[in-house]
Amino acid sequence: MSVNLNQTNIDLDDPNFQTVFANLQGNILKGHGRDYARHVFFCLGQDEVANRRWVRQMSEKVTSMLEQGRQHQAFKQFGKQDHLFVNLMLSATGYRKLGIPREQWPDDSAFLAGMKDLDQSYDTSPRGNHKPTANPLNDDLSQWEPAFSQDMDGMLIFALSGQSDDVEKTLNDLVREMKDSLNGIGHIVVVQHGHVMRNDKQQVIEHFGFTDGVSNPKFLFSELTEEFRNGGYRNNDPSAPLNLVMVPDPGGDHASFGTYVVYRKLQQNIKGFWQRADMLANTLSENTGRTISAKYAGALCVGRFQDGTPISEQSGDGWTNLFNNFNFNDDAGGLKCPLHAHVRKTNPRGDTVRQFNSPPTIERSRRIVRRGISFGEAELQPSQEWTEAGLLFLSFQASIVDQFIFMQHTWCNNEDFLHGDVGLDPLVGQSKENESPKPQSWSKGWGSPTAEQVSFSFFGFVRMKGGEYFFMPSLHFLNNLPV
């Protein structure tokens, strides 16, 4: 039976999907849920047969979606997530070094060019205004860590939960085993250490202290049911069709699917962010007769308070509804949640439908599936700026160009989205090299149409330190490489 990728609300036990899920790598439709990870980037040599043999050998460790589902059931039953989780993904240079026919390669233009190619042009302009743009992400390779300037032929993710010391030792041992297995074939380029951080409510957070991942698209019956029970989705449909993230694997059979991967190491200036938020709060407080906090100013930047409360719904934290069940229908002008706020730039929730008469399906098709994890020090109040801390950003999508690059270039980096002079996304917006972005406009009164608007510049607290585009192939492809 052929799979309809327009489907959503998929049951893991659906017999029609068992072969597909046995071939599909885990982590794509549902996060792996482990607290510790190693992201191991590798470079292969010139012996194509040896390369294929090694990749095929490593594929035996990879966790399928079917196995991930079984592990999740065991976790629900026994309360332990001590199974090792493994993903394997390849870059375009990795496919080249496998020496397989070109028709078995994924064909996304960004994937084929690689993230370091700043000359490749992409057509990311909406509404028929087509003007191909080179370096649409405004990346500056001089800011990248040296390791990321090398060829990254692929990456393995080893992820595990448990007692910190035991898990760290196990993960380190796995990396050493991988290094030994590459001897005479290739080498490990760099290893990134990831770890989940949580607040006192056990919500997953990033280094600025905000809950993370709460608005990810949902594909599975179990996750959609849980979301419905915890507040419903009358104001926002969190479901997504499989074709948002899954594409046929050109190297597999009829039941083989994969996904495109964007990897970006993002360093965060925690102290600088909150110092600037405090300055914004003071500016908004002037001549108002009330004191505005840095916490509120930070929520204006992100579009949510640290606990996930959408600022479009209330002017303080503590929202008791599920944090994804909202839209901007009652705040079309950005009087509560600024139009430049991060969550609004990356997920407009109907803004483009109102502004451009764009079909809702087009806006929703731009969504990405985020599977990032924090790295570095867990200190959320460091004494210095630019500590070794940030996010190992991972996103999965069916098209790098039409989803991630479009979102970053046309929405986050575009000072004129949603309309003229809105400004950059304060969190992840990147201006062109040697250009200073315009200040954003901030309201002194939440929800007030008569409140004074203040011009204040907020950007530059996240640095891109390197990354690559990958494809996460099917297990059928990996297990059947000719050796």
Side-chain angles (χ1 to χ4, degrees), residues 102-149:
R102 184 65 180 77
E103 58 266 22
Q104 294 184 14
W105 293 29
D107 62 1
D108 182 278
S109 59
F111 166 79
L112 294 173
M115 197 176 289
K116 291 187 285 290
D117 186 343
L118 304 187
D119 296 323
Q120 172 75 30
S121 292
Y122 302 100
D123 186 354
T124 58
S125 300
R127 304 181 305 284
N129 182 23
H130 301 293
K131 185 178 181 182
T133 303
N135 190 18
L137 305 181
N138 295 334
D139 280 341
D140 180 358
L141 300 185
S142 68
Q143 299 293 319
W144 285 26
E145 294 176 356
F148 284 99
S149 65

Side-chain angles (χ1 to χ4, degrees), residues 339-354:
L339 298 178
H340 56 254
H342 173 66
V343 302
R344 197 156 188 171
K345 282 275 196 177
T346 56
N347 189 4
R349 296 176 187 252
D351 279 344
T352 67
V353 179
R354 282 187 296 272

Side-chain angles (χ1 to χ4, degrees), residues 76-349:
K76 289 196 334 187
Q77 184 176 357
F78 301 110
K80 295 176 65 178
Q81 191 75 292
D82 54 0
H83 299 92
L84 175 67
F85 186 95
V86 181
N87 276 141
L88 192 159
M89 56 200 75
L90 298 166
S91 68
T93 61
Y95 270 85
R96 186 174 298 114
K97 291 181 181 179
L98 293 181
I100 60 174
R102 184 65 180 77
E103 58 266 22
Q104 294 184 14
W105 293 29
D107 62 1
D108 182 278
S109 59
F111 166 79
L112 294 173
M115 197 176 289
K116 291 187 285 290
D117 186 343
L118 304 187
D119 296 323
Q120 172 75 30
S121 292
Y122 302 100
D123 186 354
T124 58
S125 300
R127 304 181 305 284
N129 182 23
H130 301 293
K131 185 178 181 182
T133 303
N135 190 18
L137 305 181
N138 295 334
D139 280 341
D140 180 358
L141 300 185
S142 68
Q143 299 293 319
W144 285 26
E145 294 176 356
F148 284 99
S149 65
Q150 304 177 49
D151 276 351
M152 300 286 194
D153 295 331
M155 183 181 78
L156 274 155
I157 295 178
F158 297 120
L160 196 59
S161 285
Q163 294 296 320
S164 174
D165 292 343
D166 295 339
V167 170
E168 295 286 358
K169 181 181 183 305
T170 300
L171 292 175
N172 289 338
D173 289 345
L174 286 165
V175 174
R176 278 193 292 269
E177 291 173 10
M178 178 178 165
K179 180 180 179 182
D180 292 342
S181 72
L182 271 170
N183 187 33
I185 300 170
H187 64 276
I188 290 176
V189 179
V190 67
V191 180
Q192 299 295 327
H193 295 223
H195 61 91
V196 170
M197 300 192 304
R198 300 181 190 275
N199 60 19
D200 56 5
K201 296 180 180 178
Q202 294 305 299
Q203 296 167 307
V204 176
I205 61 173
E206 46 72 59
H207 275 90
F208 293 143
F210 293 87
T211 54
D212 198 23
V214 294
S215 61
N216 260 325
K218 304 294 192 297
F219 306 93
L220 302 179
F221 171 78
S222 57
E223 292 194 305
L224 285 165
T225 299
E226 180 183 4
E227 191 134 338
F228 182 79
R229 288 172 178 167
N230 287 282
Y233 34 85
R234 181 175 61 87
N235 296 315
N236 178 69
D237 180 4
S239 69
L242 297 176
N243 60 19
L244 186 80
V245 71
M246 286 170 57
V247 295
D249 183 348
D253 63 7
H254 71 283
S256 297
F257 298 88
T259 191
Y260 289 101
V261 182
V262 174
Y263 190 99
R264 290 168 77 80
K265 182 177 182 179
L266 304 176
Q267 183 186 18
Q268 295 175 245
N269 181 356
I270 307 164
K271 182 177 181 179
F273 176 89
W274 286 111
Q275 284 181 333
R276 191 66 178 168
D278 191 55
M279 292 177 63
L280 174 58
N282 291 335
T283 301
L284 295 176
S285 298
E286 290 177 359
N287 303 317
T288 63
R290 64 184 185 280
T291 300
I292 294 174
S293 68
K295 182 173 71 171
Y296 175 82
L300 289 175
C301 294
V302 176
R304 294 180 185 267
F305 289 88
Q306 287 181 308
D307 72 346
T309 298
I311 198 169
S312 61
E313 300 304 305
Q314 59 187 52
S315 59
D317 58 11
W319 202 39
T320 56
N321 209 337
L322 189 70
F323 298 136
N324 200 25
N325 186 26
F326 70 97
N327 56 45
F328 303 116
N329 291 350
D330 296 329
D331 187 32
L335 300 178
K336 299 174 181 177
C337 179
L339 298 178
H340 56 254
H342 173 66
V343 302
R344 197 156 188 171
K345 282 275 196 177
T346 56
N347 189 4
R349 296 176 187 252

Side-chain angles (χ1 to χ4, degrees), residues 327-446:
N327 56 45
F328 303 116
N329 291 350
D330 296 329
D331 187 32
L335 300 178
K336 299 174 181 177
C337 179
L339 298 178
H340 56 254
H342 173 66
V343 302
R344 197 156 188 171
K345 282 275 196 177
T346 56
N347 189 4
R349 296 176 187 252
D351 279 344
T352 67
V353 179
R354 282 187 296 272
Q355 185 73 10
F356 309 121
N357 199 28
S358 174
T361 52
I362 298 296
E363 181 183 278
R364 289 171 59 80
S365 73
R366 306 297 185 184
R367 292 178 295 170
I368 58 176
V369 177
R370 291 173 294 124
R371 298 289 187 242
I373 192 169
S374 295
F375 74 88
E377 304 169 10
E379 175 59 58
L380 299 185
Q381 295 179 321
S383 59
Q384 297 181 333
E385 297 188 49
W386 296 113
T387 56
E388 181 58 19
L391 184 69
L392 302 175
F393 175 88
L394 268 164
S395 73
F396 301 157
Q397 49 270 301
S399 168
I400 297 173
V401 177
D402 293 336
Q403 289 170 260
F404 176 77
I405 290 181
F406 182 96
M407 178 185 292
Q408 185 69 38
H409 169 72
T410 310
W411 291 350
C412 297
N413 292 354
N414 185 357
E415 294 178 308
D416 295 325
F417 176 79
L418 187 65
H419 55 67
D421 297 325
V422 166
L424 292 180
D425 178 331
L427 211 60
V428 300
Q430 289 189 179
S431 59
K432 293 181 180 178
E433 189 177 0
N434 300 321
E435 286 189 12
S436 295
K438 307 171 202 173
Q440 300 98 335
S441 182
W442 312 79
S443 175
K444 285 194 171 187
W446 183 82

